[in-house]
Every structure is written in C-alpha cells, then in structure tokens.
Amino acid sequence: MANYARRVRRVALAEGVQMRAQGHAVAELANLRSARRWLHRDAGHIPSGVRAQVSSAVAQSEALAELVGMREQLRQLWTPSNASSEQLVLDLTAWLRTAEASSTSTLREFAAMLRSVRPAHILL
C-alpha cells in the first residue's frame, strides 16, 4: 500500500503540472496541492477540514478518481474478513485484471509489480 501511495502522489503532482500548463485557476491548483497529501489515505483518516479539497481534487481528475477508487477496493481486499484464502486470491485476481485493463498507466504498472511478487500460478 505504501508503494501505491507513492504512485498516487506522483500522479497528483503530474496532474498539477498539467493543470498549471492548461491555465487552471490558482484556487484549483492550491486545492490539488493541499489534497495531494491525503489522496492515498482511507476516507476515515482524512481530517474533516481537508475532505472537501480531496473530493474536489478527485472530481477534477479522471486518473485520480480511478486511482482513489481502485485503492479503496484494494484496501477492502486487505482488510481482515472471513473470506477463504481461495476467495481472496480470486478477488485479488479480479482486481488485478481491472487494473491491467485501466487507461491509467500507473495502475497497469502497479498491477504488473504486484503480479511479480507472487508466483504466476497463484495470481492467474
């Protein structure tokens, strides 16, 4: 998850550069800059004073929206549950397939890195 967080922060930084080049308002850029620190956190761990900025930043960027949404799905997989090992493997495999089909290169790269961590026969 720490690796994923670094990737989200890099995408947020790139989005800020792109927004600046496109002439977005200073307020939008400041909003993204403030939200960048919190984009990779669980919603419950984001201070209430920053939540609106994070929501606004995610709404301004399809890439960030996809990364934040997929992060939440991945977090739910990591959260202890009563699911069997086989079910967890199936859920993670489905998450990886979705990430690999993403239009966001960061997600595709992360999925490739995750697949390299486990033997191929586990994460089909």
Side-chain angles (χ1 to χ4, degrees):
M1 291 304 276
N3 185 305
Y4 196 90
R6 283 189 297 277
R7 291 168 189 262
V8 170
R9 285 191 298 268
R10 275 185 269 176
V11 169
L13 183 62
E15 289 289 310
V17 169
Q18 183 179 13
M19 287 172 67
R20 189 175 304 117
Q22 293 173 348
H24 281 258
V26 174
E28 290 176 332
L29 294 169
N31 188 39
L32 178 60
R33 195 174 313 113
S34 296
R36 190 170 56 219
R37 176 178 176 200
W38 301 100
L39 286 168
H40 68 283
R41 303 281 177 116
D42 295 349
H45 293 138
I46 299 173
S48 58
V50 183
R51 285 186 186 142
Q53 292 172 320
V54 171
S55 294
S56 177
V58 169
Q60 291 174 12
S61 167
E62 287 182 34
L64 288 177
E66 186 173 27
L67 285 167
V68 169
M70 290 293 288
R71 184 211 175 272
E72 177 58 23
Q73 290 176 20
L74 187 59
R75 184 194 66 77
Q76 288 176 2
L77 290 176
W78 259 234
T79 301
S81 70
N82 58 357
S84 68
S85 298
E86 293 81 18
Q87 184 60 50
L88 291 173
V89 169
L90 290 173
D91 292 345
L92 181 57
T93 302
W95 187 94
L96 287 167
R97 286 188 183 125
T98 301
E100 291 165 342
S102 168
S103 61
T104 305
S105 63
T106 300
L107 267 174
R108 292 190 311 267
E109 292 165 5
F110 184 76
M113 184 276 305
L114 263 184
R115 281 201 189 270
S116 71
V117 172
R118 294 280 182 211
H121 70 278
I122 293 176
L123 299 176
L124 304 174

